[in-house]
């Protein structure tokens, strides 16, 4: 394990001190009576607790068995450095003994953590099996006997069968033929990667853990897609950084990515065509912060990105869309933070989502727990791992395609998640092919597409296996400067070079490579070793883990006396990496990647393109690369001897080296960017197009202040908005005659459309002018588009009487702007529309005082309508529901399949003596896309995260939300939420998000955190009138601080809810004039 080399010196010091006593079991058993330590079965030596007073203690055996297998001892290493410097033998020995007990305590802690984790995994396994049995039972009802077998003879979800696999592009002619078929398309693609330092040229790879292979991948993917026939524009959205400690280029709003091959780009040239890096400002403006600290600012990024995409869609519509917006064909998130953002943008725009994880949180959590250094809580505090995992689960919920680099990622890493199961995925795919219902269940499509590389500028030089090598191009041009920086380290620079290119991270296993090289005498005599370990200035200024690895490497070089045989330059530019590969190939060298686990291994492909054979880890992506290239040897990264022997075999056997080189060069085209983009677009092309459906020639978002009321009323002809909700329809019908209710609902909708359209026409004939909008009986919901500011009342933590008074006080505080029409109001709540009507009526508030109502936790969006002549019956409620919003959020809604699962779940919770949860049929109306339950005993229901897990295990995609006091449970579509409804108002009506002010309490429903983030202003009402949240909210997977930035601009707190205090807060944000 990387970093353990100090153990050897430690052991030598103990043995040299002559103070060994007691055997292994004695040392292990000396930790106290609260648990057995390692080797507890043997007899304890009770004569003394001091190691130097025992005679049979075997430090070598103890450390090999109990330490080397498990710990990152960076802190212990620093202690050892100080201890070894002690001049007094007695003091040095005492400190060594103390370190021994510290290590033993770590070993005991590790075993405790392993036990707790094993218990948790066992419980999780039982839960998954139970939930999947239910899902299998539901889906087996209408299958034939041959379809009910567990092992369906179906290709894996992550890979098509051989006969259906997309053929690879194997020649230039094939690429050109494919390009000619797609050149007439004008696709707009959005990629998102928000952490790290991203720019098109001279990337600072290795500067920190956030600026690594992913940065290069997304930039090259954007560049390659932008040059692909059929793609008009690609936007890579990232964070704008204007910090003093980073280059000014990261603060530029836009950067064009010039194509590598301009010859293939000319046919798509247009005013806004090509690939661009678009930097969205969010988070601290003057700080470059690590990805773990970006989570509280995600919603702000989403709002900024949404504005950019809306604007760009209109621009592209003018250029290539015949005046109609050109919506992104796909939004592709990279890593968990960008995936979370892509899911929200996908829902706001009704655009398909694709996700690439790069590395996954659950896999990292499993690895860290196995090491036993930290508890789950400690890991979460450091890496915000639970927030990351929840984001990845959301990506499974929202994505249509998940792209991986290797099959290993699908089989071993995604299988750890609640929302993905390979067996379930195969069954669902089989049912879809047979046209059999999946009962609302769905899985994203898993596809392995290796990353690409640009090979056009690479010209591998010929190698004379028998003679000496001259300048590769024979032109006498000077050698690249980086060559001199490397060669100065070597006493014999003509020997073959073993090249490793990785940052000094423990998981990259560099120390094992140095030990393998240092202890293999024949290899040392035959080759040199070059370590390109990022860029550094002062070791002490590096992160603790990186500095520890680098220090260990330097000590090993000194230990094995490798001076003149190992190069470790301090600096290199990204543009010099090709020259480094060329130098290694020129010396007939070998490239090595011996990381413990390598998700893919892009450097292996780069090295192969320059003619370098490889030695690579057998864990992860290199297995797939080796299967295609067949240009080297796979090794066990934990086996030092295997690494040394593989390297020696390649550098000593010229024929084997030449064969591996030739195989790599012959097959490398299979990893080209054209190949990658062709496969990528072929998969994306199979997705069902989705985009905002209301857009017509009279674009609803293009409205100026001078538009007449007739322009607003023109939008009323959208049939999706012309529906009146009735109490009869909410209460009518049972689930058994759902089809009949659907027909009745359709007839009511058609009648409502015809009658409402007649009223609109009549209002036009009457010549209603500007005053019509302010008339009490008019249909005023289009006025949302003319409001300068919107105040959203979303207070969940108060009693009904307090909520009514808060609304009245807000109206009073903004009376002047309210009368002028400058400020509008939206009520956002978990209540159903009928409950809202009752609340407002009892409080003496007119429904027409609001412009819109976000109800049922964001699954319904309604507008007021008080015109009595438009009523279909006296029982009707004066609201219109936005069916366009329904059509946008209904993606992956489970419908009756989800309802059936929930009814069974409720039946399990209920008993003959007590009803714990019962369905609220009144709130689950014909027109609502939600399922509601009344919670009779909130102590007997599971917390949100447990119920959400149950749904995901059964492949049911939905949001699970409790209201503030835990008395109501709403299950709504995965793309719906109250915060997403606000974004819909921007997309549909052009209501600027930055002009919204959301008023909330000190706590709220399950979706409370979503209302706090973003570019809108937030007012928090504090005081004793706020009730404490119910216990069902207490089991959040992550803290609120992990998702909300309470010190962001536009965030204010108010004590109480008096009109004067509310007015002052609204004036602070510019909503009201002073």
């Amino acid at each position: 394990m990387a970093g353990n080399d100090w153990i050897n010196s430690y052991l030598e010091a103990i043995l040299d001190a002559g103070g060994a006593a007691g055997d292994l079991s004695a040392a292990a058993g000396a930790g106290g009576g609260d648990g057995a330590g390692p080797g507890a079965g043997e007899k304890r030596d009770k004569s003394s607790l001091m190691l130097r007073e025992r005679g049979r203690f075997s430090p070598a055996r103890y450390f090999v068995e109990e330490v080397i297998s498990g710990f990152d001892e960076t802190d212990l290493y620093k202690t050892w450095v100080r201890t070894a410097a002690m001049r007094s033998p007695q003091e040095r020995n005492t400190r060594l003994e103390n370190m021994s007990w510290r290590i033993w305590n770590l070993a005991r802690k590790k075993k405790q953590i392993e036990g707790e984790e094993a218990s948790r995994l066992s419980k999780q396994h039982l839960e998954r099996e139970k939930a999947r049995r239910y899902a299998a039972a539901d889906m087996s009802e209408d299958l034939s006997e041959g379809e009910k077998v567990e092992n369906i003879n179906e290709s894996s979800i992550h890979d098509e069968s051989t006969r259906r696999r997309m053929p690879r592009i194997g020649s230039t002619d094939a690429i050109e033929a494919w390009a000619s078929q797609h050149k007439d398309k004008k696709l707009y693609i959005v990629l998102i990667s928000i952490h790290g330092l991203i720019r098109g040229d001279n990337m600072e790879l290795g500067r920190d853990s956030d600026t690594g292979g992913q940065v290069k991948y997304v930039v090259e993917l954007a560049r390659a897609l932008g040059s692909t026939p059929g793609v008009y524009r690609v936007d890579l959205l990232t964070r704008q950084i204007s910090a003093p400690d980073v280059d000014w280029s990261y603060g530029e709003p836009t950067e064009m990515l010039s194509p590598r091959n301009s010859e293939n780009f000319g046919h798509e040239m247009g005013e806004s065509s090509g690939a661009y890096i678009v930097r969205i400002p969010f988070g601290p403006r003057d700080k470059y912060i690590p990805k773990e600290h970006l989570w509280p600012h995600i919603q702000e990024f989403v709002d900024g990105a949404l504005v950019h995409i809306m604007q760009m869609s209109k621009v592209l519509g003018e250029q290539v869309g015949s005046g109609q917006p050109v919506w992104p064909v796909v939004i592709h998130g990279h890593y968990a933070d960008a995936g979370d953002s892509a899911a929200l943008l996908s829902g706001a725009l009704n655009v398909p989502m694709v996700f690439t994880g790069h590395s996954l949180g659950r896999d990292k959590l499993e690895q860290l727990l196995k090491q036993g250094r930290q508890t789950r809580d400690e890991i979460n505090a450091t890496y915000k791992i639970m927030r990351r995992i929840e984001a990845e689960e959301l990506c499974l919920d929202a994505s249509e395609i998940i792209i991986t680099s290797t099959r290993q990622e699908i089989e071993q890493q995604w299988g750890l998640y609640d929302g993905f199961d390979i067996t379930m995925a195969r069954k669902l795919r089989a049912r879809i092919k047979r046209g059999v219902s999946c009962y609302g269940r769905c899985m994203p499509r898993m596809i392995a597409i290796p990353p690409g590389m640009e090979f056009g500028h690479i010209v591998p030089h010929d190698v004379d296996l028998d003679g000496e090598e001259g300048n590769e191009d024979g032109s006498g041009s000077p050698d690249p400067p980086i060559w001199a920086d490397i060669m100065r380290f070597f006493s014999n620079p003509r020997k073959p070079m073993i090249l490793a290119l990785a940052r000094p991270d423990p998981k990259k296993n560099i120390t094992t490579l140095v030990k393998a090289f240092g202890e293999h005498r024949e290899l040392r005599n035959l080759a040199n070793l070059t370590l390109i370990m990022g860029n550094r200035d002062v070791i002490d200024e590096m992160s603790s883990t990186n500095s520890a690895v680098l220090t260990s490497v330097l000590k090993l070089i000194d230990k094995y006396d490798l001076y003149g045989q190992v190069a470790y330059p301090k600096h290199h530019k990204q543009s010099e990496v090709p020259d480094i590969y060329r130098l290694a190939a020129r010396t007939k060298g070998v490239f090595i990647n011996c990381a413990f686990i390598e998700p893919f291994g892009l450097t292996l492909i780069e090295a192969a393109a320059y003619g370098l054979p490889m030695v690579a880890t057998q864990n992860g992506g290199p297995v797939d690369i080796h299967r295609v290239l067949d240009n080297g040897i796979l090794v066990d990264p934990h086996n030092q001897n295997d690494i040394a022997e593989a390297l020696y075999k390649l550098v000593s056997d010229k024929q084997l080296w030449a064969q591996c080189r030739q195989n790599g060069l012959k097959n490398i085209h299979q990893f080209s960017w054209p190949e990658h983009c062709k496969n990528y677009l072929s998969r994306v092309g199979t997705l069902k197009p989705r985009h905002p459906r209301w857009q017509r020639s009279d674009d609803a978002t293009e409205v100026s202040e001078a538009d007449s009321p007739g322009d607003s009323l023109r939008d009323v002809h959208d049939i999706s908005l012309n529906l009146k909700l009735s109490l009869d329809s909410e209460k009518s019908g049972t689930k058994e005659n759902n089809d009949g209710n659907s027909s009745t609902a359709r007839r009511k909708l058609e009648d409502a459309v015809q009658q409402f359209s007649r009223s609109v026409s009549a209002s036009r004939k009457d010549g209603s002018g500007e005053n019509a909008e302010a008339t009490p009986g008019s249909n005023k919901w289009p006025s949302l588009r003319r409001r300068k500011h919107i105040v959203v009342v979303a207070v969940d933590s108060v009693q009904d009487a307090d909520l009514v008074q808060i609304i009245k006080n807000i109206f009073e505080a903004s009376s002047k702007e309210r009368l002028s029409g400058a400020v509008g109001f939206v009520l956002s709540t978990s209540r159903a529309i009928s409950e809202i009507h009752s609340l407002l009526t009892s409080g003496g508030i007119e429904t027409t005082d609001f412009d819109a109502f976000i109800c049922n936790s964001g699954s319904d969006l309604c507008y007021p309508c008080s015109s009595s002549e438009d009523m279909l019956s006296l029982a009707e409620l004066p609201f219109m529901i936005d069916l366009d919003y329904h059509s946008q959020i209904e993606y992956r809604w489970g419908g009756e399949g989800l309802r059936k699962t929930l009814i069974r779940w409720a039946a399990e919770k209920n008993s003959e003596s007590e009803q714990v949860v019962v369905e609220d049929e009144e709130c689950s109306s014909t027109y609502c896309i939600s399922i509601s339950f009344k919670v009779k005993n909130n102590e007997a229901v599971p917390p949100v995260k447990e119920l959400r897990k149950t749904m995901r295990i059964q492949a049911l995609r939905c949001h699970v939300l409790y209201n503030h006091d835990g008395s109501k449970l709403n299950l709504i579509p995965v793309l719906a939420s109250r915060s997403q409804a606000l974004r819909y108002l921007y997309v549909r009506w052009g209501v600027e998000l930055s002009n919204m002010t959301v008023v909330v309490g000190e706590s709220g429903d399950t979706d409370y955190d979503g209302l706090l983030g973003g570019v809108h202003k937030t007012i928090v009402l504090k005081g004793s009138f706020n009730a404490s949240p119910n216990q069902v909210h207490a089991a959040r997977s992550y803290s609120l601080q992990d998702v909300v930035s309470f010190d962001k601009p536009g965030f204010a707190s108010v004590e109480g809810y008096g009109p004067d205090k509310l007015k002052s807060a609204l004036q602070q944000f510019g909503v009201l004039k002073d």
Side-chain angles (χ1 to χ4, degrees):
M1 179 179 179
N4 280 304
D5 40 279
W6 68 271
I7 291 289
N8 296 324
S9 301
Y10 184 9
L11 297 178
E12 292 172 4
I14 293 179
L15 297 175
D16 291 343
D23 58 13
L24 174 61
S25 63
D34 57 341
E42 300 181 26
K43 184 178 179 181
R44 175 183 174 184
D45 182 354
K46 300 180 180 179
S47 59
S48 175
L49 294 179
M50 302 299 289
L51 295 180
R52 64 173 177 267
E53 296 178 7
R54 300 193 181 99
R56 298 184 304 280
F57 176 68
S58 172
R61 177 183 172 192
Y62 177 80
F63 287 116
V64 168
E65 294 185 358
E66 302 299 334
V67 178
I68 295 179
S69 61
F71 302 111
D72 175 8
E73 60 297 316
T74 301
D75 182 57
L76 288 175
Y77 167 76
K78 293 178 179 178
T79 304
W80 160 240
V81 170
R82 293 192 296 267
T83 301
M86 293 289 176
R87 294 188 177 183
S88 169
Q90 182 177 0
E91 185 175 359
R92 183 172 69 248
N93 292 341
T94 300
R95 292 204 177 194
L96 290 172
E97 292 158 10
N98 291 337
M99 288 183 68
S100 298
W101 292 117
R102 287 179 63 188
I103 294 172
W104 178 81
N105 284 328
L106 283 173
R108 185 172 61 175
K109 179 181 177 182
K110 177 185 177 183
K111 289 184 179 296
Q112 180 182 357
I113 294 174
E114 288 175 344
E116 294 173 352
E117 188 63 15
S119 176
R120 187 191 66 81
L121 291 175
S122 177
K123 179 181 178 182
Q124 182 184 62
H125 177 73
L126 293 175
E127 291 174 348
R128 288 191 176 189
E129 288 301 313
K130 179 181 178 180
R132 283 167 181 158
R133 280 198 303 271
Y134 283 146
D138 288 345
M139 293 191 297
S140 66
E141 294 178 358
D142 52 3
L143 290 181
S144 64
E145 289 301 319
E147 293 171 323
K148 291 183 181 180
V149 297
E150 284 294 317
N151 298 320
I152 294 178
N153 186 21
E154 179 67 27
S155 61
S156 170
I157 189 67
H158 59 77
D159 193 19
E160 297 287 344
S161 61
T162 302
R163 62 184 175 85
R164 297 186 67 247
R165 184 177 298 142
M166 293 289 180
R168 289 191 175 274
I169 298 177
S171 67
T172 303
D173 293 339
I175 294 176
E176 292 178 352
W178 186 87
S180 64
Q181 297 174 7
H182 298 81
K183 63 182 180 180
D184 294 332
K185 295 183 179 180
K186 304 290 183 181
L187 302 181
Y188 175 33
I189 297 175
V190 174
L191 310 178
I192 305 176
S193 181
I194 64 177
H195 67 256
L197 298 171
I198 297 180
R199 62 184 179 190
D201 297 307
N202 197 23
M203 290 174 274
E204 300 182 69
L205 303 183
R207 168 178 171 143
D208 52 59
S209 59
D210 291 352
T211 310
Q214 178 183 329
V215 169
K216 183 174 183 180
Y217 174 91
V218 295
V219 170
E220 294 302 325
L221 173 61
R223 195 192 308 271
L225 284 172
S227 303
T228 302
V231 177
Y232 187 76
R233 182 179 173 102
V234 179
D235 281 340
L236 170 56
L237 306 185
T238 188
R239 179 173 178 241
Q240 185 181 34
I241 306 169
S242 301
D245 56 338
V246 301
D247 190 75
W248 63 269
S249 59
Y250 301 112
E252 290 295 295
T254 306
E255 176 185 350
M256 184 174 184
L257 296 173
S258 56
R260 298 295 188 193
N261 188 351
S262 59
E263 294 179 1
N264 294 333
F265 188 68
H267 67 281
E268 292 292 348
M269 286 296 290
E271 186 177 350
S272 299
S273 64
Y276 296 82
I277 298 175
V278 178
R279 300 183 176 92
I280 307 294
F282 70 99
R285 297 295 186 265
D286 58 347
K287 291 182 180 179
Y288 172 50
I289 57 179
K291 58 180 177 290
E292 290 81 10
H293 297 164
L294 285 176
W295 291 111
H297 311 289
I298 292 293
Q299 301 245 15
E300 185 182 355
F301 167 79
V302 171
D303 291 347
L306 182 61
V307 172
H308 168 78
I309 294 173
M310 289 286 293
Q311 294 174 346
M312 184 52 58
S313 295
K314 294 177 185 178
V315 170
L316 297 182
E318 294 297 326
Q319 294 179 11
V320 296
S322 301
Q324 296 299 312
V326 176
W327 300 104
V329 67
V330 73
I331 296 178
H332 187 167
H334 294 265
Y335 195 79
D337 47 15
D340 190 90
S341 306
L344 296 177
L345 288 168
S346 170
L349 292 167
N350 195 28
V351 170
M353 173 186 169
V354 175
F355 178 64
T356 299
H358 292 275
S359 67
L360 298 180
R362 282 201 187 276
D363 182 64
K364 181 170 185 174
L365 178 60
E366 295 288 322
Q367 297 297 327
L368 293 174
L369 288 172
K370 286 179 181 178
Q371 293 174 4
R373 302 190 304 269
Q374 296 173 294
T375 64
R376 181 178 291 265
D377 291 339
E378 291 170 342
I379 294 171
N380 188 46
T382 303
Y383 299 104
K384 304 296 185 287
I385 202 78
M386 301 312 297
R387 179 66 183 88
R388 174 179 171 183
I389 290 172
E390 177 56 32
E392 289 160 346
E393 291 281 10
L394 177 61
C395 291
L396 286 169
D397 291 337
S399 297
E400 299 203 30
I401 292 177
I402 290 183
I403 295 178
T404 69
S405 298
T406 66
R407 296 183 180 91
Q408 182 267 351
E409 183 179 344
I410 301 170
E411 297 167 352
Q412 299 182 23
Q413 297 185 39
W414 278 114
L416 299 172
Y417 285 78
D418 299 327
F420 180 73
D421 178 73
I422 289 181
T423 302
M424 175 81 72
R426 291 173 178 171
K427 290 182 178 180
L428 292 175
R429 183 168 297 283
R431 296 177 70 90
I432 292 172
K433 286 186 175 182
R434 293 174 172 88
V436 181
S437 172
C438 294
Y439 293 96
R441 292 172 169 83
C442 51
M443 286 276 182
R445 183 73 177 275
M446 293 277 181
I447 300 173
I449 306 179
M453 183 179 172
E454 178 57 52
F455 301 123
H457 63 288
I458 300 175
V459 181
H461 59 276
D462 295 329
V463 175
D464 182 1
L465 296 179
D466 297 320
E468 296 296 332
E469 187 122 20
N471 191 295
E472 68 180 69
D473 57 11
S475 64
S477 60
D479 292 338
I482 189 65
W483 287 15
D485 290 343
I486 294 174
M487 299 299 243
R488 65 188 174 87
F489 284 89
F490 300 134
S491 57
N492 182 1
R494 304 184 71 84
K495 292 195 296 185
M497 177 191 296
I498 298 169
L499 174 62
L501 199 156
R503 64 180 184 272
D505 189 296
K507 64 185 179 184
K508 296 301 182 181
N509 203 25
I510 298 175
T511 53
T512 300
L513 169 62
V514 177
K515 285 188 283 187
F517 181 77
E519 295 180 10
H520 197 291
R521 185 173 298 276
E522 292 83 359
L523 182 61
R524 289 173 54 181
N525 292 336
L526 192 59
N528 293 322
L529 176 63
T530 297
L531 305 174
I532 307 298
M533 298 178 288
N535 290 284
R536 65 185 184 276
D537 290 316
V538 181
I539 294 179
D540 291 340
E541 295 177 358
M542 300 172 67
S543 66
S544 58
T545 53
N546 289 356
S547 64
V549 171
L550 190 54
T551 302
S552 298
V553 168
L554 298 178
K555 287 180 173 290
L556 287 171
I557 292 173
D558 185 74
K559 176 181 178 179
Y560 297 113
D561 194 15
L562 300 178
Y563 299 107
Q565 296 177 290
V566 179
Y568 41 95
K570 295 182 66 171
H571 298 283
H572 72 282
K573 298 177 181 178
Q574 177 61 27
S575 59
E576 293 176 324
V577 171
D579 293 327
I580 297 174
Y581 288 130
R582 287 171 50 226
L583 176 60
R586 183 179 184 181
T587 63
K588 305 184 186 69
V590 176
F591 184 81
I592 181 167
N593 180 336
C594 58
F596 291 115
I597 297 177
E598 181 58 60
F600 180 68
L602 187 60
T603 53
L604 296 172
I605 297 175
E606 293 176 344
Y610 286 92
L612 279 172
M614 73 173 187
V615 172
T617 177
Q618 64 185 12
N619 300 328
V623 176
D624 291 339
I625 295 175
H626 182 265
R627 184 183 296 116
V628 174
L629 297 183
D630 189 24
N631 69 328
I633 302 173
L634 298 178
V635 296
D636 178 1
H638 298 276
N639 192 320
Q640 176 181 315
N641 186 61
D642 275 4
I643 295 173
E645 288 297 328
L647 289 170
Y648 181 73
K649 186 175 183 180
L650 279 173
V651 297
S652 63
D653 189 335
K654 292 184 178 181
Q655 296 303 318
L656 176 62
W657 185 91
Q659 184 62 51
C660 288
R661 167 189 164 86
Q662 186 62 33
N663 289 347
L665 293 174
K666 179 179 66 176
N667 298 316
I668 196 65
H669 70 273
Q670 298 190 43
F671 294 101
S672 67
W673 276 120
E675 171 78 7
H676 179 98
C677 292
K678 173 259 182 181
N679 287 328
Y680 179 94
L681 293 175
S682 297
R683 305 299 186 179
V684 168
T686 64
L687 300 179
K688 181 181 178 180
R690 291 193 287 122
H691 54 78
R693 299 182 183 180
W694 63 84
Q695 296 294 341
R696 302 186 181 185
S697 58
D698 53 339
D699 191 345
T701 62
E702 294 184 0
V703 180
S704 66
E705 289 291 333
D707 285 338
S708 67
D711 295 327
S712 297
L713 292 171
R714 179 177 56 203
D715 293 318
V716 178
H717 281 294
D718 280 350
I719 64 172
S720 63
L721 291 169
N722 300 328
L723 174 66
K724 309 294 188 299
L725 287 179
S726 69
L727 289 170
D728 293 339
S729 68
E730 288 196 12
K731 297 178 180 179
S732 65
T734 61
K735 306 302 176 288
E736 286 74 19
N737 59 1
N738 189 56
D739 293 338
N741 288 339
S742 178
S743 300
T744 302
R746 187 182 302 276
R747 287 195 298 272
K748 285 187 175 183
L749 172 60
E750 293 171 351
D751 293 340
V753 170
Q754 294 174 3
Q755 190 163 355
F756 193 70
S757 296
R758 286 195 296 270
S759 69
V760 172
S761 300
S763 67
R764 283 181 172 177
K765 291 177 182 178
D766 292 341
S768 302
E770 291 287 343
N771 295 331
E773 187 176 322
T775 302
S778 66
N779 298 293
K780 56 177 286 186
W781 52 263
S783 61
L784 271 170
R785 298 158 58 181
R786 290 179 170 77
R787 304 299 191 195
K788 293 181 179 179
H789 296 278
I790 297 291
V791 177
V792 181
V793 182
V795 184
D796 308 321
S797 57
V798 298
Q799 299 296 322
D800 288 355
D802 287 316
L803 178 58
V804 169
Q805 192 58 49
I806 289 171
I807 294 173
K808 290 181 177 180
N809 289 352
I810 292 176
F811 286 169
E812 180 182 346
S814 56
S815 58
K816 181 179 178 181
E817 288 77 5
R818 178 176 166 229
L819 290 175
S820 68
V823 176
F825 302 90
V826 173
L827 182 60
S828 178
T829 176
S830 62
R831 294 174 172 87
I833 192 65
S834 58
E835 296 173 321
I836 292 175
H837 182 256
S838 298
L839 174 71
L840 297 180
T841 302
S842 63
I845 301 174
E846 295 290 337
T847 58
T848 52
D849 289 333
F850 287 92
D851 293 318
F853 299 90
I854 300 169
C855 38
N856 282 330
S857 298
S859 64
D860 286 316
L861 181 58
C862 300
Y863 308 97
C865 176
S866 63
S867 181
S868 59
E869 65 241 25
D870 292 335
M871 298 289 185
L872 297 178
S873 70
L874 294 178
E876 287 189 337
L877 292 177
F879 303 98
M880 294 178 294
I881 191 168
D882 191 335
L883 290 187
D884 272 336
Y885 180 66
H886 275 189
S887 68
Q888 184 150 319
I889 66 174
E890 66 184 356
Y891 171 71
R892 289 194 169 178
W893 176 238
E896 286 304 308
L898 175 60
R899 185 186 301 276
K900 180 178 180 180
T901 300
L902 290 169
I903 295 298
R904 180 175 57 227
W905 168 80
E908 292 178 352
K909 295 296 178 183
N910 297 331
S911 62
E912 295 181 0
S913 59
E914 181 185 18
Q915 292 288 306
V916 177
V917 287
V918 294
E919 185 177 8
D920 188 351
E921 296 186 4
E922 181 177 337
C923 294
S924 302
S925 74
T926 304
Y927 303 120
C928 294
I929 305 184
S930 64
I931 302 173
S932 297
F933 287 85
K934 295 179 180 178
V935 180
K936 303 294 186 180
N937 181 1
N938 48 41
E939 294 183 356
V941 294
V944 167
K945 68 175 183 179
E946 296 299 328
L947 186 52
R948 186 185 293 131
K949 178 195 294 186
T950 300
M951 296 298 103
R952 282 171 171 162
I953 291 173
Q954 298 193 54
L956 294 167
R957 311 297 176 177
C958 61
H959 278 317
V960 180
L961 304 164
Y962 285 106
N963 71 344
H964 184 263
D965 62 7
S967 63
K968 185 176 181 179
L969 171 63
N970 281 338
L971 290 99
I972 65 176
V974 70
L975 296 183
S977 71
R978 289 191 288 171
S979 59
Q980 286 290 82
L982 296 180
R983 295 187 176 102
Y984 173 86
L985 293 179
Y986 164 67
V987 175
R988 181 66 173 99
W989 304 116
V991 181
E992 293 291 341
L993 293 167
S994 60
N995 291 337
M996 293 184 183
T997 301
V998 180
V999 182
V1000 299
E1002 288 187 270
S1003 56
D1005 298 351
T1006 302
D1007 60 351
Y1008 177 70
D1009 55 348
L1011 297 170
L1012 300 178
V1015 298
H1016 63 253
K1017 315 301 188 297
T1018 304
I1019 298 176
V1020 179
L1021 305 182
K1022 294 187 174 182
S1024 58
F1025 55 89
N1026 285 284
S1028 299
N1030 190 270
Q1031 62 179 3
V1032 294
H1033 301 285
R1036 183 190 293 270
S1037 300
Y1038 45 85
S1039 67
L1040 192 60
Q1041 286 71 23
D1042 288 348
V1043 290
V1044 176
S1045 176
F1046 290 99
D1047 58 352
K1048 70 167 186 173
F1051 200 96
S1053 297
V1054 174
E1055 288 294 335
Y1057 52 80
D1060 293 339
K1061 293 184 177 180
L1062 288 170
K1063 184 175 183 179
S1064 176
L1066 291 172
Q1067 288 175 338
Q1068 175 185 341
F1069 295 145
V1071 178
L1072 307 180
K1073 296 181 180 179
D1074 295 336

